[in-house]
Amino acid sequence: MKLSRRVLNMSPSPTMAITSKAKELKAKGVDVIGFGAGEPDFDTPYHIKEAAKEAIDMGFTKYTPPAGIPELRRAVADKLERENGISYEPEQVVITDGAKQALFNLMLSVVDEGDEVIIPAPYWVTYPEQVKFAGGRPVFVETKEIKGFALTLEELKPAVTSKTKMVILCTPHNPTGSVIPKEELQRIGEFCAERGILIASDECYEYLTYDGFKHTSIASLSEEIKAVTVTINALSKAFSMTGWRVGYAAGPKEIIDAMIKINSQSISNVNSIAQKAAVAALTKPKDFLKEWLEAFDQRRRYMVETLNSIPGVSCLMPKGAFYAFPNVKELLKLGNFKDDWALAEFLLSEAKIAVVPGSAFGYPGYLRLSYATSMENIEEGLRRFKEAVERRLNG
Ligand SMILES: Cc1ncc(COP(=O)(O)O)c(C=O)c1O
């Protein structure tokens, strides 16, 4: 059977492949420590699970509207007003199968053959693949390590052409942990609003910021910016609900209606039980977050400090999310590695640790390590990293 050009042109997610490989090895009894996964190691909070159990017991197990249950759309609109300072009507909200499907529906709703979508690099692996799938052309803008990998308007401007349809912003950022400051978001937002360029604002890691850095939602900065922005978020990272698959998008009604139409002809609706759980997550206090953030912060500091003690490795302190993105260019030279893929393979076979090479995020010469794993794993995994490198360099 000949597969479609569209699907043949799509690459599978490398982060998911590396995580699966690590899990496979583990199942075979190999003691692998995984730094690949982008999911918190905490359990979903108890009151959220209780809401799901209640939904099952109440028989809330049927189709829901493709846009999501009214109660959840209202809870999202209230949350965006209360926490992010953006006022949307519930009709401007669509509930999706995680943030990934929100982005997917957005691409299919607005991108036409030949349209250009600007993606700052390094980038989350899914963005370019979804743009291509929709018929668009990803245009990459390299952010700079020296500026903490946070996109600036000066970097964005030269990439804009008459074909530019959209720019994808992700702050706090995967894979670098950068946070775009409010003033820069304002400048980028005003520039896009003046030119009618759509902004997809992926805010999945909004709660995870450190050292006093604060997340700003770009749509909150002016009515003009809001009019060209689709705000995307999910419960996956914030509430440790990666497997539940609940996300959402909020934005101009015309775009949201198109995304709902796609839901109606594809997934029908997000799981009814998970939607009830999401209402509890968004409307009840988030006392658990403080403890999670403290744990992430402690792991972040330990990981960055230890990475910086490994020969040939230098790592910036991430301001948000739960990833470290060390520069390993010097190590590649010292250890005679062909590239960052070769280094990642070496670390998997020699140190039994799974990391993702920067090349997977369009940024060779780096690695991504997630610190959404226990402190014990981080200590042991980095000890092995350091030892394997020292053996290679001294042996
Ligand atoms: C930046 C970013 N956006 C979106 C997602 C997808 O989230 P979800 O699991 O809600 O689809 C991820 C997950 O890794 C991510 O890192």
Side-chain angles (χ1 to χ4, degrees):
M1 173 61 70
K2 191 168 175 299
L3 296 174
S4 71
R5 251 181 297 135
R6 199 179 304 111
V7 86
L8 288 172
N9 202 17
M10 182 186 248
S11 311
S13 163
T15 47
M16 287 195 162
I18 287 165
T19 309
S20 308
K21 192 165 172 187
K23 280 187 181 160
E24 217 175 275
L25 285 170
K26 231 180 169 158
K28 282 188 191 150
V30 184
D31 169 28
V32 174
I33 295 177
F35 290 115
E39 65 181 349
D41 53 322
F42 307 114
D43 196 7
T44 305
Y46 182 75
H47 67 280
I48 300 176
K49 296 198 287 190
E50 278 301 298
K53 288 183 212 162
E54 206 175 289
I56 296 175
D57 291 340
M58 301 279 284
F60 196 75
T61 54
K62 302 290 198 291
Y63 289 130
T64 80
I69 56 175
E71 197 185 349
L72 182 53
R73 294 174 87 192
R74 158 63 59 197
V76 169
D78 289 350
K79 179 260 174 216
L80 288 170
E81 171 101 59
R82 189 176 66 239
E83 296 181 1
N84 306 76
I86 328 172
S87 81
Y88 289 117
E89 293 302 320
E91 291 69 34
Q92 291 178 278
V93 173
V94 54
I95 307 303
T96 56
D97 200 16
K100 199 177 246 180
Q101 196 233 341
L103 285 154
F104 198 61
N105 281 13
L106 175 61
M107 305 299 168
L108 294 176
S109 298
V110 302
V111 175
D112 262 327
E113 213 62 39
D115 283 346
E116 294 178 354
V117 177
I118 298 178
I119 303 175
Y123 48 75
W124 181 48
V125 295
T126 295
Y127 299 141
E129 298 308 317
Q130 291 194 347
V131 170
K132 285 191 286 169
F133 198 80
R137 195 170 83 82
V139 174
F140 302 111
V141 169
E142 205 176 287
T143 60
K144 301 281 178 298
E145 183 176 10
I146 197 166
K147 291 185 185 155
F149 299 109
L151 179 74
T152 64
L153 179 59
E154 273 53 54
E155 287 163 347
L156 176 69
K157 271 181 179 171
V160 173
T161 72
S162 57
K163 292 189 183 144
T164 305
K165 183 75 186 230
M166 182 158 72
V167 53
I168 303 179
L169 300 182
C170 175
T171 179
H173 189 249
N174 173 12
T176 65
S178 67
V179 175
I180 306 178
K182 185 175 173 182
E183 304 69 41
E184 202 58 42
L185 282 175
Q186 180 92 41
R187 282 154 43 83
I188 293 171
E190 281 169 7
F191 175 83
C192 290
E194 272 167 30
R195 282 159 186 77
I197 298 170
L198 203 61
I199 300 167
S201 180
D202 182 342
E203 303 183 11
C204 284
Y205 297 96
E206 67 172 335
Y207 295 145
L208 306 180
T209 57
Y210 314 98
D211 300 332
F213 285 95
K214 288 268 170 290
H215 166 71
T216 302
S217 288
I218 192 164
S220 71
L221 296 175
S222 78
E223 278 306 311
E224 291 75 20
I225 298 173
K226 184 183 153 198
V228 294
T229 302
V230 176
T231 303
I232 287 162
N233 209 327
L235 286 84
S236 308
K237 321 280 178 182
F239 298 90
S240 203
M241 291 176 70
T242 43
W244 296 72
R245 309 309 301 138
V246 189
Y248 55 87
K253 189 162 180 311
E254 193 188 4
I255 298 176
I256 298 300
D257 282 347
M259 294 170 69
I260 295 168
K261 182 162 74 178
I262 295 174
N263 266 5
S264 78
Q265 296 290 23
S266 55
I267 65 161
S268 291
N269 61 263
V270 170
N271 176 298
S272 59
I273 299 151
Q275 289 192 66
K276 282 284 191 186
V279 172
L282 293 179
T283 55
K284 300 269 164 61
K286 294 187 280 290
D287 301 334
F288 55 90
L289 256 184
K290 189 170 173 278
E291 206 176 294
W292 290 7
L293 265 171
E294 277 167 11
F296 281 140
D297 188 23
Q298 194 196 1
R299 298 166 184 183
R300 174 184 74 119
R301 288 168 190 283
Y302 179 82
M303 181 175 268
V304 172
E305 200 177 299
T306 312
L307 284 169
N308 278 318
S309 73
I310 299 174
V313 178
S314 66
C315 187
L316 289 183
M317 186 62 82
K319 299 182 171 72
F322 42 54
Y323 308 102
F325 197 65
N327 181 331
V328 292
K329 287 177 189 167
E330 195 57 33
L331 175 56
L332 297 182
K333 270 193 237 151
L334 293 174
N336 205 15
F337 294 101
K338 187 168 131 262
D339 52 24
D340 50 11
W341 285 102
L343 174 59
E345 268 162 36
F346 164 82
L347 289 173
L348 187 58
S349 63
E350 297 301 313
K352 304 282 179 288
I353 65 168
V355 303
V356 189
S359 295
F361 308 98
Y363 217 82
Y366 293 76
L367 297 177
R368 189 193 78 173
L369 286 84
S370 160
Y371 48 88
T373 185
S374 70
M375 195 64 184
E376 242 181 317
N377 278 346
I378 295 173
E379 282 171 358
E380 174 60 15
L382 293 183
R383 189 189 61 75
R384 292 187 200 174
F385 186 156
K386 195 170 180 176
E387 262 183 27
V389 165
E390 283 170 353
R391 268 200 313 275
R392 171 96 170 194
L393 300 187
N394 301 327

